[in-house]
């Protein structure tokens, strides 16, 4: 096939990104939409770019060098990318290629003013816009100047910012090619940007128009503040008119210049309301064509709109698909489960199949639809109360949605919900529940061994029913609620009677039967076994270079290594099914990657004395006992003191009996998950052996049902897995909202408090006390390097983080509530903690001194 160097814009559409780049393909698509006017022009194809690159063999070596550079080595990237650009700009455009471009130019008018615009094959993609990565040149006149600027566009594939962007996003420089769009220049009265969804809130029903006088460059470059209009249902619902002092205009000889705007015109709107509404109608037509919200560059010329660019808005959080046109309100599951990272498709579908309520997916996260519960007054009150106790920001966000009278329908109350009868305060109940769970898991491990192929999947569907039966065991629910309600009673009542905040925090220290806090202390015992053996400690310090599979075997060859290995093995037998992000079955478990625990073990070896676990637990127990005596004696001194003391004593016994069990159901879930996972990976291994899948981890990108079908048919749709890997990677850039509506609006919620210092970071107080220390911002448990007295700052902490809690002085997280795992364990260990601090890991820098007010719920940055 012969290379074709020039295509008219009318000939291309959005399927031809490989030929004309993202911008060219989108402009071609736009020009085919009825009623949309696009300035005429042509594309210089990627074939032309490849031909130019082939003219300079030295570029190959330089691209190799470039790909080996660290994205943070800015100096080296700057030097090398500048050399590559100079080389490309220095290549003479071959005669046949120059002739093809000049011929196309004659169609536009040889001396016509043109815009010459880069159009890379990796830009304006649904998952990465690459906005502003390559160059555009306006008002270029004459064939010589056009050819020179086409060369500049080719070279702009290697600007420092474009190179760094690709390296950070793992995109190979050789896979990206550059086309160039040459369009007839328009000289607009006004220009700007239209977002067909509100880029701040994500609301798909609200369009935002930014407008200024002259060329759009003035807005894009930040030279002027635009007029901003918001449009909903075909009318302007808000506008802010800016004082526009400057504009960018085209010069008759070519190029552009900044000009001052006449003072009388500065405060005038750049568009009338009627024009704004008309523009948004065009935007909706474009959005419908491309099938997703768009960021559109427009010009107003002679009273009509011309569109010069449209690309997807990549920052919007996706909306769960329902297939209806009703209003829906969704609450994030990840914020309750302390895991806001995206999950892979198998992880999402396994959680959906084993959860107690229906769940929807969007952006790699799970959501629960609470619309019906918000719709009737009684269930609404219960939901808001539960959410408020867990995470006040979710409650506030839900109230914000409810304040919009028309969004949530009103339904009559269902019949009275039966509150479960309270259970006795009897430790034997917890013992029995734990035993029931263990018996059920042992049966699962025994029965799954013989199952393979389709029979395994039939077995698993039954196992999921048993999973839900154990999880929904009424006695288990009562035990969890008994511990939580006793905590709330103590906090509320002792504040009223003794004017003391969060008294339950001390009263629950070292509560029995808490599997998560025992897990943290048990790793201190492992450190005790390792500490006397210097050879083992030295080996562990260099362990990052060792394969996980070989790690424990290598350990056993050292002096003291057998004891060390046995201690770690015993720990993994009890807790090896855990890991960070454990609600996603696809995440590697500690048993699969034991080296994950090494940094925490080394911290424990360095920061603690032998016997620390037992001492820590005993100190907590005694502190709680002392607190109990103190509270009861103060209550007895009050009017009606004996009754008050008796009631408080009953609640203290109740909270200590049941609060530790709060952590057990999650341990049970994760234990089952590991059994399911091992069976599914064995199945994946068989699929790899049979040549059905290239690698066994590919099953993580299939749902459970899809995997079932693959095992039955021994066929997989190969086109399915790669796009899902790409999508999963792109979901990391999205911030999941606590509350999301079916309009796409991410509702954040706010703490409405005036009792904290002005510049403090506000959160939720979950574990009492005040502590000052060095902030350690840790986003990956394997990177933890903590010293005694450090305060851990992170996004979320699920149970797998609790081994770190034994060595820190305080805790700050972005996500969490009164009863989420981090809060429960912080109270168990007596750590002052504040959770739900928005953007804590960005606003607090590693190494800063901070003060955590665990009783009052805020954090001060001291240095």
């Amino acid at each position: 096939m012969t290379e074709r160097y020039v295509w008219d814009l009318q000939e291309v559409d959005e399927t031809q990104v490989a030929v004309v780049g993202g911008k060219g393909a989108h402009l071609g698509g736009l020009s085919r939409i009825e009623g949309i006017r696009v300035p005429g022009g042509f594309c210089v194809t990627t074939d032309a770019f490849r031909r130019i690159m082939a003219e300079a063999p030295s570029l190959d070596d330089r691209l190799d060098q470039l790909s080996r550079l660290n994205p943070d080595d800015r100096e080296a990237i700057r030097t090398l990318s500048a050399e590559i650009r100079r080389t490309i700009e220095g290549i003479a455009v071959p005669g046949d290629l120059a002739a093809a471009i000049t011929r196309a130019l004659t169609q536009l008018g040889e001396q016509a003013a043109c815009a010459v615009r880069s159009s890379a094959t990796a830009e304006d993609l649904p998952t990465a816009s690459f906005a502003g990565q390559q160059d555009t040149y306006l008002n270029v006149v004459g064939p010589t100047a056009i050819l020179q600027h086409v060369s500049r566009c080719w070279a702009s594939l290697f600007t420092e910012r474009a190179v760094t962007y690709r390296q950070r996003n793992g995109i190979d420089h050789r896979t990206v090619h550059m086309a160039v769009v040459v369009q007839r220049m328009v000289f607009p009265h006004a220009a700007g940007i239209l977002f067909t969804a509100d880029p701040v809130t994500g609301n798909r029903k609200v369009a935002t128009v930014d407008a200024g006088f002259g060329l759009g460059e003035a807005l894009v470059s930040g030279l002027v503040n635009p007029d901003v209009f918001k449009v909903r249902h075909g009318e302007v619902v808000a506008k802010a008119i800016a004082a526009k002092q400057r504009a960018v205009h085209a010069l008759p000889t070519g190029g552009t210049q900044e000009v001052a705007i006449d003072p009388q015109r500065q405060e005038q709107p750049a568009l009338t309301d009627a024009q704004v509404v008309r523009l948004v109608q065009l935007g909706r037509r474009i959005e419908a064509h491309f099938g997703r919200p768009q960021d559109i560059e427009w010009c107003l010329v002679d009273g009509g709109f011309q569109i010069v660019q449209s690309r997807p808005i990549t920052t919007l959080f996706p909306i769960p698909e329902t297939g209806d046109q009703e209003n829906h309100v969704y609450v994030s599951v990840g914020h309750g489960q302390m895991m806001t990272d995206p999950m892979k498709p198998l992880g999402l579908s396994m959680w959906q199949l084993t959860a107690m309520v229906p769940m929807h997916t969007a952006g790699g996260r799970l959501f629960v639809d609470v619309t019906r519960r918000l719709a009737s007054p009684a269930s609404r009150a219960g939901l808001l109360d539960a959410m408020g106790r867990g995470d006040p920001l979710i409650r506030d966000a839900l109230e914000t949605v409810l304040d919009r009278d028309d969004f949530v329908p009103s339904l009559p109350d269902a019949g009275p919900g039966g509150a479960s009868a309270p259970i006795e305060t009897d430790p034997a109940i917890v013992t029995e529940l734990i035993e029931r769970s263990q018996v059920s898991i042992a049966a699962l491990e025994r029965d799954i061994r013989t199952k393979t192929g389709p029979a395994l999947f039939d077995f698993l569907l039954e196992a999921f029913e048993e999973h839900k039966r154990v999880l929904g065991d009424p006695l288990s629910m009562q035990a969890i609620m008994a511990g939580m309600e006793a905590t709330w009673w103590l906090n509320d009542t002792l504040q009223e009677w003794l004017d003391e905040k969060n008294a339950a925090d001390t009263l629950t220290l070292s509560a029995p039967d808490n599997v998560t806090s025992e897990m943290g202390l048990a790793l201190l015992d492992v450190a005790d076994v390792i500490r006397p053996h210097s050879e083992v400690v030295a080996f562990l310090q260099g362990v990052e270079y060792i394969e996980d599979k070989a790690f424990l075997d290598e350990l056993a060859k050292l002096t003291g290594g057998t004891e060390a290995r046995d201690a770690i093995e015993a720990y993994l037998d009890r807790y090896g099914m855990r890991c960070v992000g454990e609600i996603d079955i696809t995440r590697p478990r500690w048993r699969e990657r034991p080296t994950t625990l090494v940094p925490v073990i080394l911290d424990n070896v360095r920061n603690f004395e032998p016997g620390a676990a037992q001492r820590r637990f005993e100190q907590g127990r005694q502190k709680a006992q002392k607190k109990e005596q103190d509270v009861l004696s103060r209550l007895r001194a009050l009017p009606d003191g004996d009754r008050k003391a008796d009631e408080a004593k009953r609640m203290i016994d109740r909270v200590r009996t049941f609060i530790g069990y709060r952590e057990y159901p999650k341990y049970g879930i994760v234990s089952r998950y590991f059994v399911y996972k091992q069976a599914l990976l064995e199945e994946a291994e068989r699929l790899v052996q049979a040549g059905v899948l290239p690698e066994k981890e590919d099953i993580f990108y299939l749902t459970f049902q899809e995997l079932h079908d693959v095992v039955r048919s021994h066929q997989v749709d190969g086109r399915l897995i790669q796009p899902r890997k790409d999508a999963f990677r792109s979901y990391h850039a999205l911030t999941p909202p606590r509350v999301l509506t079916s309009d796409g609006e991410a509702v954040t919620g706010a703490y409405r408090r005036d009792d904290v210092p002005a510049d403090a970071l506000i959160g939720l107080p979950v574990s009492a006390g005040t502590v000052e220390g060095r902030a350690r911002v840790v986003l990956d448990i394997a990177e933890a390097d903590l010293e005694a007295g450090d305060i851990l700052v992170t996004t979320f902490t699920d149970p797998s983080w609790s081994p770190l809690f034994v060595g820190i002085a305080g805790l700050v997280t972005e996500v969490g509530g009164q009863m989420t795992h981090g809060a429960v364990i912080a109270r168990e260990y007596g750590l002052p903690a504040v959770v739900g601090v928005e953007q804590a890991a960005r606003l607090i820098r590693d190494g800063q001194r901070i003060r955590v007010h665990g009783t009052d719920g805020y954090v001060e940055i001291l240095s």
Side-chain angles (χ1 to χ4, degrees):
M1 179 186 142
T2 57
E3 273 87 8
R4 186 169 164 197
Y5 296 130
V6 173
W7 292 68
D8 190 274
L9 265 183
Q10 300 278 342
E11 295 179 273
V12 299
D13 64 25
E14 53 273 33
T15 61
Q16 286 155 299
V17 172
V19 182
V20 295
K23 191 173 293 158
H26 268 80
L27 283 166
L30 281 166
S31 64
R32 290 162 175 244
I33 306 172
E34 200 178 322
I36 302 299
R37 289 168 58 204
V38 175
F42 59 88
C43 301
V44 182
T45 64
T46 51
D47 283 340
F49 173 75
R50 278 189 284 269
R51 166 99 181 261
I52 290 295
M53 293 296 277
E55 298 275 324
S58 68
L59 284 170
D60 250 12
D61 293 344
R62 289 191 177 143
L63 285 180
D64 282 342
Q65 281 174 275
L66 197 58
S67 62
R68 287 197 293 271
L69 292 179
N70 181 323
D72 295 323
D73 189 348
R74 306 215 12 206
E75 197 48 50
I77 289 176
R78 185 176 301 133
T79 310
L80 194 51
S81 56
E83 272 178 43
I84 294 172
R85 287 199 305 280
R86 273 197 304 278
T87 307
I88 294 172
E89 286 185 39
I91 297 168
V93 179
D96 56 335
L97 175 48
I101 294 172
T102 311
R103 250 197 323 277
L105 200 54
T106 331
Q107 304 288 306
L108 293 180
E110 204 161 296
Q111 291 303 310
C114 292
V116 182
R117 314 172 70 193
S118 311
S119 178
T121 53
E123 69 177 11
D124 297 352
L125 306 176
T127 54
S129 75
F130 285 76
Q133 296 305 317
Q134 282 93 29
D135 293 348
T136 285
Y137 301 97
L138 299 178
N139 203 28
V140 183
V141 180
T144 312
I146 298 266
L147 285 171
Q148 184 192 2
H149 284 84
V150 167
S151 282
R152 283 189 185 167
C153 284
W154 288 329
S156 79
L157 191 61
F158 297 98
T159 60
E160 185 189 341
R161 62 178 185 269
V163 167
T164 307
Y165 189 92
R166 287 196 293 272
Q167 279 178 295
R168 288 197 193 291
N169 284 281
I171 296 165
D172 179 354
H173 301 298
R174 291 170 190 280
T175 60
V176 184
H177 300 114
M178 181 65 87
V180 182
V181 176
V182 180
Q183 269 178 299
R184 186 179 283 116
M185 184 73 193
V186 291
F187 301 99
H189 161 75
I193 298 163
L194 156 64
F195 297 98
T196 63
D198 188 320
V200 179
T201 67
N203 194 325
R204 311 304 203 262
K205 300 267 173 79
V206 175
T208 302
V209 175
D210 290 5
F213 294 122
L215 291 166
E217 291 309 287
L219 302 191
V220 176
S221 65
L223 179 66
V224 296
N225 287 329
D227 297 338
V228 180
F229 302 86
K230 291 199 183 289
V231 176
R232 188 186 175 102
H233 300 318
E235 61 175 310
V236 175
V237 291
K239 61 180 160 184
I241 307 304
K244 298 168 288 294
Q245 292 166 353
R246 310 193 65 69
V248 173
H249 283 206
L251 292 167
T253 52
T256 60
Q257 106 184 95
E258 270 181 50
V259 295
I261 294 176
D262 182 355
Q264 282 82 49
R265 277 185 70 215
Q266 290 180 6
E267 304 275 350
Q268 280 180 5
L271 296 177
T272 65
D273 283 10
Q275 286 172 323
V276 170
V277 170
R278 192 162 87 240
L279 175 62
V280 170
Q281 283 168 345
L282 296 176
R284 292 281 176 230
R285 203 175 284 182
I286 294 168
E287 178 181 66
H289 174 84
F290 289 119
R292 51 172 20 134
Q294 297 287 304
D295 158 355
I296 297 165
E297 290 178 27
W298 56 268
C299 297
L300 179 67
V301 190
D302 302 329
F305 287 104
Q306 298 210 24
I307 304 300
V308 293
Q309 186 154 341
S310 185
R311 58 164 81 95
I313 309 176
T314 55
T315 53
L316 297 175
F317 199 86
I319 307 170
E321 285 174 23
T322 54
D324 63 33
Q325 296 302 306
E326 305 294 311
N327 287 349
H328 294 271
V329 182
Y330 302 99
V331 169
S332 160
V333 173
H335 285 79
Q337 290 294 339
M338 302 300 285
M339 197 331 241
T340 52
D341 288 350
M343 294 164 69
K344 296 190 180 110
L346 185 64
L348 292 166
S349 68
M350 291 290 279
W351 193 263
Q352 284 174 303
L353 285 164
T354 51
M356 304 303 285
V357 292
M359 293 190 175
H360 304 263
T361 65
R365 275 74 167 194
L366 291 161
F367 293 87
V368 173
D369 185 343
V370 295
T371 323
R372 285 200 72 83
R373 289 179 66 189
L374 287 175
S376 65
S379 59
R380 176 190 313 146
L383 178 71
L384 290 175
D385 186 48
M387 292 292 172
R389 286 195 183 275
D391 182 339
L393 292 176
I394 292 182
R395 178 181 180 133
D396 189 75
L398 291 174
E399 286 176 334
T400 303
V401 176
L402 286 167
D403 285 344
R404 300 174 192 154
D405 301 334
D406 54 344
F407 194 80
V408 175
S410 278
L411 295 173
D413 273 335
S420 54
I423 50 175
E424 291 302 307
T425 302
D426 178 2
I429 293 174
V430 173
T431 312
E432 185 195 333
L433 283 167
I434 289 174
E435 205 167 281
R436 281 187 200 177
S437 174
Q438 287 171 339
V439 166
S440 173
I441 290 168
L444 170 69
E445 288 174 330
R446 183 189 64 232
D447 297 343
I448 204 168
R449 281 188 195 128
T450 55
K451 308 289 188 287
T452 61
L456 169 68
F457 287 82
D458 297 336
F459 172 80
L460 281 172
L461 288 170
E462 284 174 34
F464 297 162
E465 292 311 306
E466 167 66 2
H467 179 126
K468 288 197 272 196
R469 188 193 67 72
V470 173
L471 206 54
D473 181 339
L475 188 63
S476 175
M477 295 293 202
Q478 286 174 301
I480 292 169
M481 286 314 296
M484 283 164 46
E485 283 164 356
T487 306
W488 298 332
W489 187 94
L490 285 166
N491 279 338
D492 295 348
T493 313
L494 296 181
Q495 179 152 13
E496 186 191 327
W497 288 348
L498 297 175
D499 195 27
E500 183 171 341
K501 278 186 183 172
N502 301 357
D505 294 1
T506 311
L507 293 166
T508 52
L509 287 172
S510 299
D513 298 314
N514 186 321
V515 69
T516 311
S517 61
E518 285 165 6
M519 176 170 82
L521 296 174
L523 207 56
L524 287 175
D525 293 337
V526 173
D528 285 355
V529 175
I530 288 167
R531 195 178 289 108
H533 305 293
S534 54
E535 210 179 316
V536 172
V537 174
F539 169 78
L540 292 179
Q541 282 162 341
V543 91
E544 61 204 70
Y545 306 109
I546 290 187
E547 283 282 310
D548 268 298
K549 304 232 177 339
F551 159 62
L552 292 166
D553 299 335
E554 290 294 314
L555 192 56
K557 298 173 187 170
L558 309 171
T559 311
T562 314
E563 296 95 298
R565 183 194 61 192
D566 293 349
I568 293 173
E569 282 283 6
Y571 186 85
L572 290 172
D573 286 344
R574 183 138 165 75
Y575 304 111
M577 76 296 283
R578 308 218 86 148
C579 67
V580 171
E582 61 192 11
I583 70 168
D584 181 353
I585 198 170
T586 72
R587 290 281 191 109
R589 311 282 134 179
W590 290 343
R591 176 45 92 188
E592 296 169 302
R593 253 190 223 167
T595 49
T596 310
L597 292 169
V598 169
V600 194
I601 294 172
L602 288 171
D603 282 350
N604 288 350
V605 166
R606 192 176 68 236
N607 295 333
F608 290 93
E609 297 292 313
Q614 189 53 43
R615 274 198 308 282
R616 284 289 294 266
F617 189 78
E618 193 46 39
Q619 282 163 356
R621 207 179 60 75
Q622 286 178 10
K623 235 178 176 172
Q625 214 170 358
K626 196 162 160 264
K627 181 71 176 174
E628 177 181 328
Q629 289 161 354
D630 167 59
V631 163
L632 297 179
S633 69
R634 283 158 61 204
L635 287 174
R636 286 198 187 95
L638 298 175
D640 197 14
D642 285 348
R643 180 189 63 81
K644 287 176 175 165
D646 288 348
E647 270 190 66
K649 172 67 177 145
R650 214 171 59 244
M651 284 301 180
I652 292 168
D653 289 348
R654 198 162 174 78
V655 86
R656 289 194 70 78
T657 300
F658 292 117
I659 201 65
Y661 178 71
R662 160 78 182 80
E663 290 292 296
Y664 202 86
K666 183 82 166 269
Y667 177 77
I669 292 173
V670 178
S671 301
R672 286 173 192 280
Y673 259 31
F674 194 40
V675 180
Y676 306 152
K677 181 180 189 178
Q678 287 169 303
L680 291 173
L681 281 174
E682 281 169 25
E683 213 45 60
E685 188 56 57
R686 285 190 275 274
L687 291 171
V688 172
Q689 297 299 323
V692 179
L693 285 175
E695 47 195 60
K696 59 182 188 180
E697 269 82 20
D698 283 351
I699 68 165
F700 296 162
Y701 296 93
L702 301 171
T703 65
F704 180 82
Q705 189 53 57
E706 288 165 347
L707 178 54
H708 190 175
D709 295 340
V710 170
V711 167
R712 241 199 327 252
S713 66
H714 262 223
Q715 286 178 317
V716 67
D717 181 352
R719 293 163 312 183
L720 202 61
I721 290 169
Q722 192 53 50
R724 291 209 180 150
K725 288 182 177 177
D726 296 341
F728 176 70
R729 216 179 22 248
S730 76
Y731 293 152
H732 282 276
L734 299 173
T735 303
R738 282 177 164 81
V739 171
L740 178 68
T741 73
S742 46
D743 285 352
E745 184 178 0
V747 193
T748 43
Y751 293 107
R752 307 197 183 273
R753 291 174 53 188
D754 48 16
D755 58 344
V756 296
D759 49 359
L761 307 178
I762 302 178
L764 183 65
V766 294
S767 184
T770 302
V771 67
E772 218 175 276
R774 175 178 70 155
R776 291 316 309 259
V777 180
V778 179
L779 300 179
D780 176 354
I781 196 168
E783 307 285 305
D785 177 18
L786 297 163
E787 288 178 17
D790 282 348
I791 296 169
L792 174 63
V793 179
T794 188
T795 45
F796 60 79
T797 59
D798 60 8
S800 68
W801 286 72
S802 63
L804 293 186
F805 284 22
V806 296
I808 57 176
L811 173 70
V812 179
T813 67
E814 294 183 1
V815 174
Q818 277 289 355
M819 287 294 164
T820 44
H821 303 277
V824 173
I825 305 307
R827 289 194 289 272
E828 281 265 324
Y829 288 166
L831 295 176
V834 181
V835 302
V837 180
E838 286 281 85
Q839 299 197 338
R842 289 195 204 105
L843 297 172
I844 300 170
R845 287 197 307 282
D846 189 56
Q848 280 184 317
R849 278 196 78 70
I850 61 173
R851 187 181 295 133
V852 177
H853 295 263
T855 310
D856 295 313
Y858 65 93
V859 180
E860 289 177 287
I861 298 175
L862 304 176
S863 67

